[in-house]
Amino acid sequence: MIISNDSYYSTPFYHFFITTGLCGIISSVSYMCLVQIIFPVEIHIVYRILCMVNTTSSTGATIGKFYILVQRYFILKSISFDEQKWSGKIMRRLLFVQFFFPFLLSFIYGFGTYKSKIKDGVLILNGASDTTTVTIKVVNNIIYAVYVFFGFSFIYLYRRSFKRMKRHAESGTTSNLLNKQRVMVIFVLGCTITHLIKAIHQIIWTIAAAMGSQTFVEAVYPLKNQMVTCRG
């Protein structure tokens, strides 16, 4: 899509699609590094950086999907289905927020405290402290809840827009455009549902951590994490 000469792939939707996809991939890779690699306490800075990268990318993916939600709605409201609704200046600002806000959020891990344990005679890191972890989970719960709320709200608005457009559809070209927009909406719905799953998991994880029993939830985390972040 990046090297394509088709102007359609230079639209805001595909800009967000690419940045969100990259965030999802980085989130998955950084998470696997965190769970598969043993980090001695002497190189805690590397572990902190990976945690920050994971938080920045996963939150950036959520923001990107939110942008897609909003952008789809404005396209559907437009009778012409003009994909170039947002100027380059607006796009640059939105992309800046997509990465800068998550980067600030990641400092919870950057300056947080961590647990350690002895394995094979070596003192290694054993994840973030309960205080740090619960703090980031609470913030993530709020972000996911906001996304899901607006996601289903926009899905409802999409449905109304489709009904309105069908009443005015008079040509095969219009029908083709409607079909293309319908595919876009299915993509958005898929993102919303997977983030709903992740939000529910985060809430359960936070409650379990507060009660001191999170073994079961952590056991299913890798599968859920890969499913959600790869949808970026």
Side-chain angles (χ1 to χ4, degrees):
M1 289 187 292
I2 295 176
I3 63 176
S4 174
N5 293 323
D6 192 337
S7 61
Y8 185 77
Y9 292 120
S10 65
T11 59
F13 171 83
Y14 282 101
H15 280 120
F16 295 140
F17 182 82
I18 292 171
T19 58
T20 301
L22 289 174
C23 284
I25 293 172
I26 294 172
S27 176
S28 295
V29 172
S30 59
Y31 172 78
M32 294 307 298
C33 290
L34 287 169
V35 299
Q36 297 295 333
I37 300 175
I38 296 176
F39 293 89
V41 293
E42 291 79 9
I43 58 171
H44 65 90
I45 187 64
V46 177
Y47 189 87
R48 290 176 184 272
I49 291 174
L50 278 174
C51 287
M52 293 177 68
V53 169
N54 181 261
T55 299
T56 300
S57 55
S58 60
T59 305
T62 301
I63 294 175
K65 291 172 184 176
F66 177 75
Y67 287 165
I68 292 174
L69 277 173
V70 178
Q71 198 258 351
R72 280 299 97 199
Y73 176 67
F74 279 104
I75 297 302
L76 290 177
K77 285 190 65 178
S78 172
I79 300 299
S80 63
F81 296 115
D82 182 11
E83 292 283 345
Q84 296 285 5
K85 277 291 183 180
W86 293 345
S87 66
K89 184 177 182 180
I90 293 176
M91 288 294 299
R92 287 190 293 273
R93 290 178 177 178
L94 290 174
L95 292 174
F96 174 78
V97 172
Q98 183 180 5
F99 293 100
F100 185 69
F101 171 73
F103 176 69
L104 292 180
L105 179 62
S106 73
F107 276 87
I108 295 177
Y109 276 127
F111 294 101
T113 55
Y114 291 82
K115 296 182 292 185
S116 61
K117 67 177 182 179
I118 297 177
K119 182 176 181 180
D120 299 327
V122 179
L123 188 62
I124 64 172
L125 292 171
N126 190 32
S129 67
D130 291 341
T131 300
T132 300
T133 302
V134 171
T135 300
I136 197 70
K137 294 297 181 184
V138 169
V139 174
N140 284 338
N141 285 340
I142 296 173
I143 293 173
Y144 291 132
V146 170
Y147 175 86
V148 171
F149 171 78
F150 280 104
F152 283 109
S153 297
F154 277 113
I155 291 296
Y156 172 74
L157 293 175
Y158 294 161
R159 182 182 177 186
R160 292 182 57 185
S161 296
F162 275 125
K163 288 182 177 180
R164 174 180 57 82
M165 288 185 291
K166 280 184 177 180
R167 291 197 298 265
H168 294 85
E170 298 177 352
S171 65
T173 302
T174 303
S175 297
N176 291 334
L177 289 173
L178 283 173
N179 290 332
K180 182 180 293 185
Q181 295 302 323
R182 188 175 291 109
V183 171
M184 298 291 192
V185 171
I186 291 174
F187 166 80
V188 171
L189 180 59
C191 293
T192 304
I193 292 174
T194 55
H195 266 67
L196 176 60
I197 295 172
K198 188 166 186 174
I200 293 173
H201 178 276
Q202 294 279 0
I203 294 171
I204 294 174
W205 196 102
T206 304
I207 294 174
M211 296 175 62
S213 175
Q214 60 196 54
T215 304
F216 172 76
V217 182
E218 288 185 335
V220 301
Y221 183 82
L223 174 62
K224 179 275 309 173
N225 187 70
Q226 298 303 313
M227 178 185 69
V228 176
T229 55
C230 287
R231 288 302 296 267

